[in-house]
Amino acid sequence: RLPVDVKDGPPLLFVFRADVQTPEVMLSADTLDFGCVRTGHARVVTLQLSNPRDVPAEWGLKKPVEAAKAKDWGSFRIEPCEGVLEPRSKLNVRVVFTPSMGRRAPYQQTFPIRVALNPRLAHFTCKATGEQPVITWQPGAVDCGPILPAFEGQKPNEARFSMTNTSGFPVEVVCLDLDMRYKSDEELLSALDPAHFNDAGIMYEEPLAPGAPLWPSLVQEVAEARAAAEAAAAVAD
């Protein structure tokens, strides 16, 4: 309140009001459970951030300084990991979990979110388990026995072994030196537009069933790009 005297007039009283709000970010969940995810796959869970205030909220992840509190930080990817929430707005954040090869221990990581001009941190915790393919071989070493150098009519020596999948899901096994389709698939993937990959060099697509061919849309895209490059080269010649 501010009283004002007016000469030869009635006094005035000015009343000033202000609504001081602390920026805040609310989370749709405090725990994200990714369940069991196979090695080589990734699972995405959406977390919604909301700003209940009438002022913008600048937010971002705050990685703990202590290594023990960030041991599984790299197994989860948050997209985006920072930004500004306008008043009364919401934002969907993708949280991606990718298990590490060979690890059987469960994953658990708490992510603090700092909000500018707010001393309190918001938190959410991610939990997950990685599922590894398990293949056993019998015998562990294969001996084809002695054989003479190759000559016409020679029969090759043979030895048999058994391969058993003790995992709870189908597993595709590839011989890198002999599987020509594997090599052609790798060539096709390397020819894809870099826009398909994120800054970590990872591409997210629906998982392929064991033995299934590559995604038809990507195969067609590469074929069209190669045809356009060949046509351009022919014109240049």
Side-chain angles (χ1 to χ4, degrees):
R1 295 172 179 268
L2 178 65
V4 177
D5 293 327
V6 180
K7 186 176 181 180
D8 300 328
L12 300 178
L13 181 63
F14 288 99
V15 179
F16 295 92
R17 295 179 180 176
D19 183 10
V20 180
Q21 298 187 9
T22 300
E24 183 182 1
V25 169
M26 299 181 65
L27 310 180
S28 60
D30 55 10
T31 301
L32 303 180
D33 191 347
F34 289 79
C36 192
V37 182
R38 299 177 191 176
T39 301
H41 291 196
R43 181 165 294 165
V44 181
V45 175
T46 300
L47 177 70
Q48 188 173 84
L49 310 185
S50 59
N51 178 4
R53 304 296 188 183
D54 295 318
V55 294
E58 182 180 353
W59 66 277
L61 293 181
K62 183 179 181 181
K63 186 175 182 178
V65 177
E66 302 91 335
K69 294 183 179 181
K71 59 184 180 64
D72 289 334
W73 190 277
S75 299
F76 299 90
R77 184 179 178 87
I78 288 80
E79 303 171 346
C81 61
E82 60 182 1
V84 177
L85 268 175
E86 296 301 326
R88 305 289 175 178
S89 66
K90 298 179 180 181
L91 173 68
N92 288 335
V93 174
R94 284 165 43 98
V95 185
V96 185
F97 166 65
T98 306
S100 301
M101 182 70 71
R103 173 170 171 172
R104 298 184 182 276
Y107 300 75
Q108 180 168 323
Q109 181 63 56
T110 297
F111 291 89
I113 295 180
R114 58 161 181 79
V115 180
L117 305 178
N118 188 333
R120 296 195 313 169
L121 296 175
H123 300 82
F124 68 95
T125 300
C126 295
K127 298 179 180 181
T129 304
E131 188 176 20
Q132 310 291 326
V134 181
I135 304 293
T136 58
W137 307 79
Q138 290 294 335
V142 178
D143 185 0
C144 292
I147 188 172
L148 292 172
F151 58 86
E152 186 176 353
Q154 182 190 37
K155 294 183 178 181
N157 281 8
E158 294 183 358
R160 294 181 178 274
F161 65 92
S162 64
M163 181 171 53
T164 305
N165 174 19
T166 59
S167 312
F169 54 90
V171 175
E172 182 175 2
V173 180
V174 176
C175 180
L176 302 184
D177 294 327
L178 303 178
D179 193 318
M180 300 308 298
R181 200 189 83 177
Y182 170 81
K183 294 181 180 181
S184 64
D185 287 350
E186 286 296 302
E187 292 176 358
L188 187 143
L189 291 174
S190 64
L192 284 174
D193 189 320
H196 286 286
F197 302 87
N198 61 21
D199 54 5
I202 299 174
M203 178 181 66
Y204 296 112
E205 293 287 342
E206 286 294 323
L208 295 173
L214 289 181
W215 303 272
S217 59
L218 298 185
V219 174
Q220 181 179 355
E221 177 185 323
V222 172
E224 291 175 353
R226 287 173 174 172
E230 292 173 0
V235 171
D237 292 340

